[in-house]
Amino acid sequence: MATRILFFGALKEPAQGAARLVDLPTDVTNAEQLIDWIAKDDTALKSALDERSVRICVDQEITPRAQSFETPAEIAFLPPFSGG
Amino acid sequence: MNKSIATIEISDEPFDPQAVHATFCAAHKDAGAIASFLGQVRNEKNSVKKLVLEHYPGFTEKEIQKIAADACRRWPLDGLCIVHRVGDLNPGEPIVFVATASAHRRAAFEAVDFLMDYLKSDAPFWKKEAGESSERWIEPREQDLCDKMRWRTKTAV
């Protein structure tokens, strides 16, 4: 099943886009592993996603980086908010 | 929170804050106090910068619902209304409108203040300033975090 990866705010720049559709390898089961996989050979993206202030949303729930997920439909990377 | 007391709208079109305010007042004729706040795009001299506001459809609405529910737990509100823009905004345009209704003014005032502090820090929106030749994503201000901290012990439930 394909997973949609979304990048919000300033993360669109290192990600070079707002969204990607990927087939997650079976050994990617949490956000830390996902970052290592999608940012393989891309140090700028890895550095941006590794920032502690970036939150991870799995199927629209904020999820700790080390927490396992199973066949998520959507994973979003959220930089600090600036609304209001 | 009884969802019918909170009206939350994210709009990609300009909205008329006076009309929203009038509608809210008409819906709360029995409330002793109605308080409100309007946030607009600052109009800086010699600046043609527009703001571009982004949100995460579905998730942003859910997070704002949580903030509204928190306000309803802390204060006895008859109703509240939040309208927040997304998309392209020009200087002077309304960005966010918040109103609350309660029996007495203290709850109405404080709930508006609380809702704005939390919308600034906990609502998933991202703002970008776009000038003629440059763009800049806006970082959260230290002040916004301090403002939110005020509510930590005050009226917390």
Side-chain angles (χ1 to χ4, degrees):
Chain A
M1 186 182 96
T3 301
R4 207 164 37 252
I5 312 287
L6 304 177
F7 302 96
F8 286 92
L11 292 177
K12 282 196 268 299
E13 266 111 53
Q16 293 178 56
R20 304 181 188 185
L21 200 58
V22 301
D23 280 312
L24 291 181
T26 47
D27 59 352
V28 169
T29 59
N30 64 38
E32 283 169 353
Q33 291 164 350
L34 173 63
I35 292 169
D36 287 339
W37 180 68
I38 52 170
K40 195 161 86 89
D41 308 322
D42 188 343
T43 47
L45 181 58
K46 175 120 177 44
S47 162
L49 297 181
D50 276 345
E51 283 286 335
R52 289 292 120 180
S53 59
V54 170
R55 277 175 281 192
I56 322 288
C57 240
V58 177
D59 292 329
Q60 301 207 349
E61 294 286 341
I62 298 279
T63 302
R65 287 166 184 260
Q67 186 170 306
S68 296
F69 48 63
E70 216 171 290
T71 61
E74 184 171 283
I75 299 176
F77 290 97
L78 315 182
F81 308 147
S82 54
Chain B
M1 170 183 78
N2 176 358
K3 278 201 178 159
S4 67
I5 77 169
T7 303
I8 293 167
E9 188 190 335
I10 295 178
S11 173
D12 57 9
E13 296 285 342
F15 69 91
D16 178 350
Q18 289 180 343
V20 175
H21 186 257
T23 302
F24 187 75
C25 290
H28 294 284
K29 285 201 176 314
D30 296 341
I34 292 175
S36 67
F37 173 82
L38 172 65
Q40 317 181 122
V41 181
R42 256 186 298 282
N43 207 347
E44 275 148 18
K45 283 189 192 144
N46 304 316
S47 166
V48 290
K49 291 196 178 112
K50 69 175 185 183
L51 277 191
V52 182
L53 263 150
E54 180 184 19
H55 76 306
Y56 184 1
F59 180 70
T60 296
E61 289 85 337
K62 271 199 312 191
E63 294 301 294
I64 297 177
Q65 284 283 350
K66 287 184 195 169
I67 294 166
D70 198 357
C72 291
R73 275 191 296 274
R74 291 171 185 250
W75 292 280
L77 301 179
D78 296 339
L80 69 91
C81 165
I82 298 170
V83 180
H84 200 298
R85 278 293 312 278
V86 289
D88 291 4
L89 286 89
N90 294 310
E93 274 192 59
I95 303 173
V96 59
F97 177 84
V98 171
T100 59
S102 189
H104 301 285
R105 71 183 186 284
R106 189 60 50 224
F109 275 138
E110 289 187 348
V112 169
D113 199 4
F114 170 87
L115 287 167
M116 273 313 303
D117 284 350
Y118 273 74
L119 283 173
K120 294 295 273 186
S121 61
D122 285 12
F125 293 98
W126 296 272
K127 242 180 224 163
K128 181 169 68 172
E129 227 173 44
E132 277 179 18
S133 54
S134 65
E135 283 188 351
R136 180 181 76 96
W137 286 99
I138 292 181
E139 299 280 317
R141 291 160 62 228
E142 194 59 42
Q143 185 60 52
D144 293 331
L145 184 61
C146 293
D147 288 341
K148 191 178 91 158
M149 298 301 281
R150 295 186 295 155
W151 305 102
R152 265 281 159 92
T153 48
K154 197 177 173 185
T155 74
V157 288

